[in-house]
Amino acid sequence: EADIYQTPRYLVIGTGKKITLECSQTMGHDKMYWYQQDPGMELHLIHYSYGVNSTEKGDLSSESTVSRIRTEHFPLTLESARPSHTSQYLCASSAFRDATYEQYFGPGTRLTVT
Amino acid sequence: AQKITQTQPGMFVQEKEAVTLDCTYDTSDPSYGLFWYKQPSSGEMIFLIYQGSYDQQNATEGRYSLNFQKARKSANLVISASQLGDSAMYFCAMREDGSEKLVFGKGMKLTVNP
């Protein structure tokens, strides 16, 4: 079973606030990812990391930033939240299993910016 | 460019019946992997099944099987003996080998009726 955690699960916050979405995994996986998903829509990769001190931008442009100081921790930060940031944010990590890198997802954070 | 198409916005099936969820894909890379994920209303993404482009046999995982037709570029998910707990969003995804990017389709909503 995957052990990947996200906090908070739900967040309602005002415009202009700085927020950090937490993601932790206890599996020792090197690769971690952040996806953004609008309601009823597909997931879009916004950030990923190959390991400590490695971060890359994904396909979907995002105003968020990430850091990877420890293997198990991959937080996402929005310096100034806006209503357009309202979405679900899903964190994932991956391990090689059965000839592919299988991605394990956290429960997600539903962000609402008012 | 990679692309995943799921054209069924929603489907209804009776409990204990089988159901097929459609997925077509487009890629110019000869080596790739196809994934199906389930997303219940709680929001987490649950990995169901994986098919490699060079796999000779269709993948199976319990009640899930993948009907892989490479020439038609389709990777339909078959759920046998539907259960009420199968009601969820289902996403087809693809990753080209050597890429970190998991590209998702728009998903489709399955409702299992008692």
Side-chain angles (χ1 to χ4, degrees), chain B residues 6 15 21 23 41 52 56 67-68 75 80 92 102 114:
Chain B
Q6 294 180 258
E15 194 177 7
L21 311 184
C23 172
S41 57
Q56 295 297 313
N67 184 1
F68 181 45
S80 63
C92 180
L102 198 58

Side-chain angles (χ1 to χ4, degrees), chain A residues 12-65:
Chain A
V12 181
I13 201 163
T15 297
K17 299 290 186 182
K18 178 180 178 180
I19 58 171
T20 296
L21 307 185
E22 301 288 348
C23 175
S24 295
Q25 50 96 4
T26 58
M27 299 168 284
H29 292 168
D30 286 328
K31 300 178 189 240
M32 295 189 73
Y33 313 82
W34 275 103
Y35 291 88
Q36 184 175 342
Q37 182 186 26
D38 290 334
M41 301 296 287
E42 67 266 49
L43 283 71
H44 292 285
L45 181 67
I46 52 175
H47 299 283
Y48 60 98
S49 167
Y50 291 113
V52 171
N53 294 325
S54 155
T55 60
E56 303 285 344
K57 289 190 178 295
D59 283 334
L60 184 67
S61 175
S62 173
E63 294 167 341
S64 59
T65 59

Side-chain angles (χ1 to χ4, degrees), chain A residues 9 31 33 35 37 40-43 45 48 50 59 88 90 97-103 105-107 110, chain B residues 33 35 37 39-47 50 61 89 91 95 100-107:
Chain A
R9 289 294 312 277
K31 300 178 189 240
Y33 313 82
Y35 291 88
Q37 182 186 26
M41 301 296 287
E42 67 266 49
L43 283 71
L45 181 67
Y48 60 98
Y50 291 113
D59 283 334
Q88 171 160 257
L90 288 153
R97 186 177 88 99
D98 293 336
T100 190
Y101 280 95
E102 179 182 326
Q103 290 194 12
F105 283 82
R110 293 183 195 251
Chain B
F35 303 77
Y37 284 86
Q39 187 177 44
S41 57
S42 52
E44 73 271 28
M45 296 287 283
I46 302 168
F47 168 77
Y50 164 79
E61 287 282 352
M89 288 288 294
F91 290 89
R95 184 178 62 235
E100 292 302 325
K101 300 174 183 178
L102 198 58
V103 177
F104 285 85
K106 292 186 181 300

